[in-house]
Amino acid sequence: MINKLKKIFGFGSTVDYSELVKQGGVILDVRSKVEYASGHIEGSINIPVDILKNSLSQLKDKNKPIITCCASGMRSARAKNILKTHGYTDVHNGDGWRSLQSKL
């Protein structure tokens, strides 16, 4: 049951995030603008999860790798699900941005 939940929310994956970025992947930070301003991964883009559905036009290529991140991994899991629902094919939950940064 726990592994199934991890898979659904994208936790515990063995994704090579660094390789995805090298291939042109986008790091999508879904925290608030204030949180993002206090620190973020260089080169990431910020679209808060609460406005993501209305801002999908900023993510034009639905086949490009997208790595979501936030503070803890909860909002990034939600963002991953939103993107998948709207036809984005290569979406990964990078969990918390500090954790993701150490994997790049």
Side-chain angles (χ1 to χ4, degrees):
M1 177 69 169
I2 296 287
N3 287 334
K4 190 172 188 173
L5 286 173
K6 283 183 177 183
K7 185 175 181 181
I8 290 170
F9 290 106
F11 296 122
S13 66
T14 57
V15 174
D16 186 343
Y17 297 108
S18 181
E19 186 60 32
L20 287 174
V21 171
K22 286 178 189 172
Q23 295 172 5
V26 173
I27 299 172
L28 175 61
D29 191 319
V30 297
R31 296 176 297 148
S32 71
K33 301 261 183 225
V34 171
E35 288 174 293
Y36 185 80
S38 71
H40 58 270
I41 297 172
E42 187 176 333
S44 64
I45 62 170
N46 178 229
I47 305 174
V49 71
D50 294 337
I51 65 166
L52 182 58
K53 286 181 189 175
N54 296 324
S55 303
L56 295 175
S57 62
Q58 293 182 49
L59 303 168
K60 296 179 186 345
D61 187 348
K62 290 189 174 190
N63 297 309
K64 188 177 213 175
I66 299 174
I67 305 164
T68 61
C69 66
C70 62
S72 68
M74 294 305 290
R75 286 176 285 180
S76 58
R78 188 170 146 212
K80 176 185 174 180
N81 289 333
I82 290 168
L83 293 170
K84 291 293 235 176
T85 299
H86 286 87
Y88 292 82
T89 60
D90 194 5
V91 185
H92 307 272
N93 180 2
D95 295 327
W97 76 273
R98 290 183 191 270
S99 172
L100 176 59
Q101 187 170 38
S102 71
K103 297 172 188 171
L104 296 174

